Amino acid sequence: MLKPHMKRKILVVLVGVFAVALLLTVRLSYLMIAKSEYYMEIAEALHDRERSIKAKRGVIYDRNGVELASNKPVCSVSVIHSQITDEDAVVDALCGVLDLSEGEVRKKVQANTIREKIKSNVDKEIADKLREMDLDGVMIDEDYKRYYPYDTLASKVLGFTGADNQGIVGIEVAYEETLAGVPGSILTMTDAHGYELENEAESRIEPIPGDNLHISIDVNIQKYAEQAATKVMKAKNAQRVSVVMMNPQNGEIYAMVNVPEYNLNEPYTLVGMESYEGSKQDALNTMWRNFCINDTYEPGSTFKLVTAVAALEEGVVNLDDGFSCPGFRVVEDRRIRCHKVGGHGSETFAEGFKNSCNPVFMDVGARVGVSAMYENYEKLGLFEKTGVDLPGEASSIMHKQENVKAVELATMSFGQSFQITPLQLLRAASAAVNGGTLVTPHFGMYTTDEAGTVKETFQYNMEESAIEKETSETMKLLLESVVAEGSGNKAQIAGYRIGGKTATSEKLPRGNGKYISSFLGFAPANNPQIIGIILIDEPEGIYYGGTIAAPVMGEMFANILPYLGVEEDYTEQEESSEDTNETDGIDVELDTSSQSNGNDLIE
Amino acid sequence: MAKKKKSGGLFNSIKEFFQELFIKSDYVDYPLMFVTLFLVVFGLVMVYSTSSYTAELKLGQATYYLVRQGMFALLGVCVMLFISRMDYHFLKKFSVPLMLVVIVLLVALPFVGVESHGAVRWINIFGFQFQPSEFAKPIIALFTAHIASIKSARIGELKIMAKVLILPVIAIVLITSENLSTGIICTAIACVIVFVTSPKVKQFLVIGGILVCVMIGFLLVASYRLERIDIWLNPEKYDSGYQTLQSLYAIGSGGLFGKGLGQSIQKLGFIPESHNDYIFSVVCEELGLFGAICVIGMFMFLIWRCVIIAVNTEDLYGALIVVGIITHIAVQVLVNIAVVTNSIPPTGVPLPFISYGGTALVCVLAEVGIVLSVSRHLRVAKEY
């Protein structure tokens, strides 16, 4: 028999159980109402997985619409372990088709992961073979890979992209934002192992393809310049040869060559550097360098045009001012030689320019003075970067103005004891011959969308009247005389008026017999449509710029000028002695009975 | 009747045995039976819901766990119905020997047991694996109820109470060394039976106090258990708080009405073995607070029915067995829900009827069978 106290106690137990159950219900309500949002958010963050969809990278076109960089469909092959039905068949197929070692593939096939990537960047044709086999558990994803149809063409300008299609060097990185586009994404729910859940609503954001970029490079000019540069590099067994071709009127760069160029489709294969010191990465970085803008050099005699501009701007010299050259000039305690050992004797400024006579420029430089000289450097943009749309542009290395004494001023007057980039010199020279406008050298012209409609046209800074128009007119005549009668005569071509200046700069440290031979030229001399510079680094044998660099420029102009539609002008060429009349107001005497001096020594 | 006379002595004696064994009454507590069957079926649905995805993934067969659990459920329901027709008094004969067998098995467990999940809790007999501690729960209930009902008159005396509890305490000590949560459940079963039998109250407050002190001492002695407390308070700081956190995410994302049956995301591998101890958190995620309260209500209804039976029976032994079974089911349900909601430090207790696990399901159904049998007796007793 149950006693009353037992029944009571049973009820106590029941009440106890109900009480605890009630407490737990309260706790549960708290979790599921008050904290519901908090936990739900964490849980969703845990379940959602964002899978990005690559955006198609914009195509790079040359100025005529030729593709320089485009996209090639490639595939990536991966396996999903849990879906594989016939492991051996899968391993055999993957080894056979993709040419991989069996051990490696088997390990990946057996890996119990969500998804194991076997190989990416597989050519579409090869991937199609695998697709035809229709093996369970083998996934083939289509992807795009950057592809450069011309392999080496303008490699150091264009640059290449990395594994994620991101720009690494050159235009590809400078215009990353334009080209890259915006990747899309697929939001899916996954389980704890990362498997995507079927039937779960997925939200998809479509990728926005990158814009196409049209650059000022002209494939034909670039190709031709590359051929010419390669030819002279081989002939002179030079380290490298750089060429820049630009429109001096607006700064559009037609060609920028740095041979040896590397293959953009295999940017990690070293070219022309069979042996290297240090790490391979350093060697690769050197190979990818664009010497026209990333490095500085002592310009040498080509820089005399800047000194001449300064003197004309300051009005401290007339073309017929007389100078005398004994073969050297003593500045303070230093005896600075002219390249012509015996000296040029008595000569006018115009003749001194033509002869590239160092003492003449030392005198002229001294007349200009330090502060006026620096003001003119400033006007010609030598203290600033050119603003070219490529990454890693180097700055000029100049004396501090307060440190420039007579000796420094003298050496600077003929282009020594400081360093600038070739492109800085080309920009300054453009201003000297285009009527005085300081242009911004550039590649990017405009962008288009997928349909081909222009989206954005790039504007570049043009500093008009950086120097006087008259100065520019005089400079054209002076520089033309260098090619017509002076040291640059090897750049002459029939039917065109060419202006230019040669240089042979000894590389530092002095006396090691290493030179950079260069030539800066433009045409037609009266109305420049193209200006170019060629630099031959460490040529063997004869190393004078006038002998080895000038003829290459002449050869290039002979092909490029007709291509650009610049009409031939025989009569003017033949009557070059008389056309000095153009420059009325300035008394120019250009001696036509050119000493035809084959004088290679004259720089 | 005619047949029986023909078949002779042997058949007669068998018949007599069964007549003695079975109650002739057709009455049974149907509400209890139906709520039990409902919970079993609901458990099967939830086991399928929680296990199908991982089973498909790992074993290539979505119904793997459902089929196994279903077979045990069938067996368990048969056992329940069979026992419900039996006169539970015959269990008196077995309670002492079974208690001894359990103690022997528990002593032998470390030597003959099979290891699984890092603990030796299973014994393998004829290819059939079972956990002695799982059987210990009903056997401790039966044994304590039996002895307490005999000694009920003098159980208020400490000496007598100690006599009643001596064998259960030995079993409990053996179990606790291996499995704390089962030890706690067994302690609760034995204590509640004695508590109900005894006319006194104060001494139980003392016993309760002692048990609490023992628990605290237990925690202080083993530092890893203290760490468990810290994991309980700050689950996000510990790797081992992972399961608790995942459970909270599941419960929290359920909201008022849940995501709908089968729609849980947390069961997809986030909660490890979500068909086991943490199945209730998936119930919350899929059916919401509404569903969770329904499930808790179902259990409370079951316990209430059991209490009605215990209070109304005229037989002390039967009442005490029911009290033991009530305690078993109630403690397990409350502790499980408390763990899942991170209300107490985590400990592995399955939810009766619903969590995956064959031995436990058959045991708990057998227990309900005993309660049903008591309910039949109740009706019989009233008829007299």
Side-chain angles (χ1 to χ4, degrees):
Chain A
M1 283 294 284
L2 249 64
K3 289 174 186 151
H5 78 260
M6 294 176 182
K7 293 190 179 184
R8 258 202 322 274
K9 282 193 168 178
I10 292 174
L11 290 177
V12 166
V13 171
L14 180 70
V15 169
V17 170
F18 278 13
V20 175
L22 192 67
L23 281 177
L24 288 174
T25 307
V26 170
R27 164 85 176 151
L28 212 52
S29 310
Y30 167 72
L31 288 176
M32 297 176 82
I33 297 171
K35 300 276 270 182
S36 174
E37 211 165 306
Y38 169 74
Y39 284 123
M40 209 186 287
E41 243 168 59
I42 303 179
E44 267 168 25
L46 201 68
H47 306 152
D48 284 349
R49 190 172 66 171
E50 209 182 273
R51 204 173 53 174
S52 82
I53 318 169
K54 276 187 187 173
K56 187 171 163 270
R57 195 173 172 86
V59 175
I60 302 177
Y61 293 103
D62 90 334
R63 62 185 307 115
N64 303 315
V66 180
E67 283 185 1
L68 296 176
S70 65
N71 303 300
K72 184 169 84 169
V74 289
C75 297
S76 67
V77 179
S78 36
V79 287
I80 296 176
H81 178 78
S82 58
Q83 293 178 4
I84 291 174
T85 45
D86 187 350
E87 190 187 296
D88 288 326
V90 168
V91 173
D92 284 350
L94 292 176
C95 292
V97 177
L98 300 177
D99 195 24
L100 297 166
S101 78
E102 198 197 318
E104 190 187 338
V105 171
R106 193 169 288 277
K107 213 163 86 188
K108 285 180 176 174
V109 167
Q110 286 171 343
N112 193 5
T113 51
I114 308 135
R115 200 178 171 147
E116 193 75 28
K117 185 167 267 187
I118 301 289
K119 199 176 176 184
S120 46
N121 285 337
V122 178
D123 280 346
K124 204 169 177 301
E125 303 86 68
I126 294 175
D128 282 342
K129 269 191 233 165
L130 269 179
R131 196 172 280 146
E132 279 162 27
M133 294 182 189
D134 196 24
L135 292 158
D136 287 339
V138 176
M139 290 271 292
I140 296 164
D141 287 327
E142 303 232 340
D143 197 359
Y144 282 99
K145 190 189 174 220
R146 203 61 163 161
Y147 172 68
Y148 302 90
Y150 290 95
D151 289 334
T152 58
L153 190 86
S155 61
K156 301 189 187 189
V157 173
L158 293 175
F160 54 92
T161 59
D164 295 326
N165 251 359
Q166 82 284 20
I168 291 193
V169 290
I171 295 269
E172 292 277 23
V173 73
Y175 287 92
E176 175 70 17
E177 266 180 51
T178 306
L179 295 166
V182 182
S185 60
I186 305 177
L187 260 180
T188 47
M189 295 268 256
T190 64
D191 70 2
H193 312 286
Y195 285 89
E196 278 170 21
L197 302 178
E198 280 171 35
N199 308 324
E200 285 294 336
E202 59 176 40
S203 55
R204 188 183 162 99
I205 304 165
E206 288 299 329
I208 303 166
D211 290 331
N212 300 324
L213 177 68
H214 296 255
I215 61 173
S216 58
I217 291 263
D218 185 304
V219 167
N220 293 316
I221 299 179
Q222 177 78 25
K223 261 196 225 167
Y224 193 75
E226 259 180 48
Q227 281 168 13
T230 310
K231 202 169 94 184
V232 69
M233 179 179 73
K234 285 189 178 149
K236 300 306 294 179
N237 203 11
Q239 285 282 316
R240 55 180 164 255
V241 175
S242 297
V243 175
V244 186
M245 290 288 179
M246 186 170 86
N247 182 339
Q249 307 295 340
N250 59 13
E252 285 175 7
I253 297 171
Y254 293 131
M256 187 179 271
V257 176
N258 292 275
V259 285
E261 302 268 2
Y262 62 94
N263 186 345
L264 288 171
N265 292 315
E266 291 167 14
Y268 296 94
T269 309
L270 286 168
V271 173
M273 309 178 79
E274 282 66 30
S275 62
Y276 55 85
E277 284 169 25
S279 68
K280 185 181 180 189
Q281 190 56 49
D282 290 343
L284 285 172
N285 285 336
T286 311
M287 182 177 84
W288 298 333
R289 267 184 106 79
N290 185 340
F291 290 94
C292 301
I293 60 156
N294 296 143
D295 285 309
T296 55
Y297 80 122
E298 259 190 345
S301 301
T302 41
F303 194 73
K304 286 171 183 162
L305 73 91
V306 173
T307 309
V309 167
L312 292 169
E313 282 285 285
E314 300 301 317
V316 295
V317 74
N318 284 316
L319 291 187
D320 51 2
D321 283 359
F323 295 89
S324 81
C325 169
F328 62 89
R329 193 64 99 233
V330 176
V331 182
E332 293 189 333
D333 57 341
R334 296 270 294 275
R335 187 185 152 101
I336 303 171
R337 288 192 305 115
C338 186
H339 56 84
K340 188 170 181 185
V341 181
H344 294 94
S346 169
E347 59 194 337
T348 64
F349 175 64
E351 285 166 340
F353 193 93
K354 201 160 60 183
N355 295 335
S356 195
C357 175
N358 289 351
V360 171
F361 281 91
M362 286 187 255
D363 290 355
V364 168
R367 285 194 203 175
V368 174
V370 176
S371 66
M373 188 65 92
Y374 268 63
E375 267 168 41
N376 281 283
Y377 287 175
E378 180 91 53
K379 285 196 279 187
L380 293 173
L382 293 172
F383 292 116
E384 61 188 30
K385 293 179 179 179
T386 64
V388 69
D389 45 355
L390 280 180
E393 192 181 359
S395 302
S396 52
I397 305 166
M398 292 280 193
H399 293 290
K400 275 190 184 157
Q401 193 177 333
E402 59 267 31
N403 296 339
V404 178
K405 300 288 176 297
V407 176
E408 285 78 24
L409 184 61
T411 51
M412 285 171 83
S413 299
F414 57 87
Q416 285 185 10
S417 78
F418 65 92
Q419 296 202 339
I420 55 174
T421 66
L423 196 62
Q424 276 181 313
L425 180 64
L426 197 66
R427 182 186 183 214
S430 295
V433 300
N434 69 5
T437 306
L438 193 62
V439 297
T440 305
H442 62 266
F443 293 97
M445 293 164 74
Y446 58 94
T447 61
T448 55
D449 62 15
E450 270 200 301
T453 27
V454 176
K455 277 189 84 175
E456 189 189 351
T457 307
F458 299 115
Q459 300 295 332
Y460 295 91
N461 190 31
M462 300 257 278
E463 208 185 319
E464 280 175 41
S465 310
I467 60 170
E468 297 293 326
K469 200 165 172 18
E470 287 75 37
T471 308
S472 175
E473 292 301 325
T474 313
M475 285 309 298
K476 283 194 274 188
L477 289 173
L478 284 172
L479 289 163
E480 188 178 1
S481 73
V482 173
V483 175
E485 305 145 15
S487 55
N489 62 351
K490 292 239 163 66
Q492 287 170 8
I493 48 171
Y496 291 101
R497 294 171 59 182
I498 311 279
K501 187 76 193 74
T502 66
T504 309
S505 348
E506 191 173 11
K507 285 174 93 171
L508 295 171
R510 305 258 183 247
N512 63 1
K514 288 180 177 168
Y515 295 89
I516 295 177
S517 308
S518 59
F519 181 81
L520 186 148
F522 62 95
N526 55 336
N527 178 25
Q529 299 299 305
I530 188 163
I531 186 164
I533 187 167
I534 176 167
L535 299 105
I536 304 169
D537 192 13
E538 299 184 18
E540 285 179 5
I542 297 168
Y543 54 83
Y544 300 113
T547 317
I548 63 170
V552 180
M553 187 62 81
E555 199 189 326
M556 287 192 283
F557 278 171
N559 286 277
I560 293 166
L561 290 171
Y563 175 78
L564 286 178
V566 177
E567 287 185 10
E568 293 169 68
D569 189 8
Y570 283 105
T571 44
E572 293 219 12
Q573 171 79 5
E574 281 152 7
E575 293 161 12
S576 61
S577 52
E578 273 76 42
D579 61 21
T580 53
N581 306 340
E582 281 176 4
T583 57
D584 45 356
I586 302 169
D587 192 7
V588 191
E589 200 199 355
L590 288 170
D591 192 6
T592 43
S593 64
S594 78
Q595 297 91 332
S596 158
N597 39 24
N599 183 356
D600 294 323
L601 290 170
I602 294 179
E603 289 295 322
Chain B
M1 283 291 159
K3 268 184 185 175
K4 271 178 272 166
K5 275 171 189 169
K6 272 180 193 168
S7 43
L10 179 64
F11 194 90
N12 262 339
S13 59
I14 294 172
K15 198 196 126 200
E16 270 165 33
F17 172 75
F18 275 97
Q19 271 176 341
E20 196 185 312
L21 197 61
F22 286 106
I23 306 161
K24 284 175 224 67
S25 166
D26 283 333
Y27 174 82
V28 72
D29 193 282
Y30 284 110
L32 175 61
M33 190 189 277
F34 286 135
V35 76
T36 305
L37 290 175
F38 180 87
L39 282 169
V40 169
V41 172
F42 177 72
L44 289 176
V45 171
M46 287 318 296
V47 163
Y48 181 65
S49 170
T50 50
S51 69
S52 58
Y53 185 80
T54 29
E56 171 80 66
L57 213 62
K58 287 184 178 161
L59 307 161
Q61 194 189 345
T63 54
Y64 178 82
Y65 292 104
L66 174 67
V67 167
R68 288 174 68 93
Q69 183 77 346
M71 272 154 42
F72 277 110
L74 216 58
L75 174 69
V77 169
C78 291
V79 168
M80 177 183 83
L81 293 175
F82 182 78
I83 292 178
S84 78
R85 300 202 76 89
M86 285 162 64
D87 184 349
Y88 61 90
H89 287 96
F90 87 96
L91 290 167
K92 280 186 179 177
K93 293 172 189 162
F94 297 103
S95 55
V96 177
L98 277 176
M99 189 72 232
L100 293 171
V101 167
V102 162
I103 291 174
V104 169
L105 282 177
L106 286 170
V107 171
L109 188 59
F111 309 105
V112 298
V114 181
E115 200 177 313
S116 168
H117 294 72
V120 187
R121 287 176 193 172
W122 274 262
I123 277 186
N124 205 333
I125 293 174
F126 308 124
F128 177 69
Q129 273 190 15
F130 69 98
Q131 299 181 64
S133 59
E134 206 57 55
F135 284 117
K137 289 181 242 175
I139 287 165
I140 284 175
L142 291 175
F143 177 85
T144 317
H146 180 198
I147 306 298
S149 66
I150 293 168
K151 308 275 182 187
S152 69
R154 292 168 64 200
I155 202 160
E157 294 167 35
L158 275 178
K159 214 173 97 186
I160 302 299
M161 192 162 79
K163 267 188 183 173
V164 174
L165 287 175
I166 181 75
L167 284 181
V169 165
I170 291 171
I172 285 165
V173 168
L174 289 169
I175 291 166
T176 308
S177 68
E178 192 63 55
N179 185 343
L180 178 64
S181 46
T182 309
I184 291 171
I185 293 165
C186 293
T187 310
I189 293 170
C191 287
V192 170
I193 290 173
V194 175
F195 167 73
V196 167
T197 323
S198 167
K200 298 191 175 176
V201 175
K202 275 183 192 167
Q203 53 180 244
F204 288 95
L205 294 177
V206 175
I207 291 174
I210 291 168
L211 283 175
V212 169
C213 290
V214 168
M215 273 291 289
I216 291 170
F218 210 69
L219 290 171
L220 289 176
V221 165
S223 62
Y224 73 90
R225 291 206 173 86
L226 261 186
E227 199 191 60
R228 266 195 175 186
I229 305 265
D230 203 31
I231 293 170
W232 165 49
L233 295 172
N234 307 297
E236 57 282 339
K237 281 194 203 158
Y238 292 85
D239 281 350
S240 39
Y242 173 80
Q243 210 166 3
T244 306
L245 268 185
Q246 295 299 336
S247 168
L248 287 176
Y249 296 159
I251 293 171
S253 41
L256 272 183
F257 296 102
K259 292 179 175 168
L261 195 61
Q263 301 300 307
S264 163
I265 302 287
Q266 285 294 97
K267 69 187 181 188
L268 309 177
F270 291 100
I271 302 172
E273 304 206 13
S274 53
H275 50 282
N276 278 349
D277 298 352
Y278 281 83
I279 198 163
F280 189 72
S281 54
V282 177
V283 173
C284 290
E285 190 185 356
E286 296 195 342
L287 305 177
L289 181 60
F290 178 76
I293 289 178
C294 283
V295 172
I296 294 174
M298 216 67 84
F299 278 112
M300 290 307 116
F301 178 76
L302 182 135
I303 284 160
W304 177 66
R305 281 316 301 177
C306 292
V307 166
I308 297 288
I309 292 164
V311 173
N312 284 312
T313 184
E314 293 301 308
D315 175 29
L316 179 60
Y317 173 58
L320 291 181
I321 295 175
V322 176
V323 165
I325 290 165
I326 289 169
T327 311
H328 173 205
I329 295 174
V331 168
Q332 218 159 307
V333 168
L334 297 177
V335 168
N336 178 277
I337 294 173
V339 166
V340 165
T341 55
N342 200 30
S343 310
I344 60 166
T347 179
V349 175
L351 190 61
F353 304 109
I354 296 178
S355 285
Y356 177 78
T359 321
L361 184 61
V362 173
C363 276
V364 81
L365 282 171
E367 288 175 34
V368 174
I370 295 169
V371 178
L372 289 172
S373 161
V374 174
S375 81
R376 265 185 224 278
H377 194 261
L378 158 93
R379 182 57 178 249
V380 170
K382 273 187 178 172
E383 270 173 1
Y384 283 115

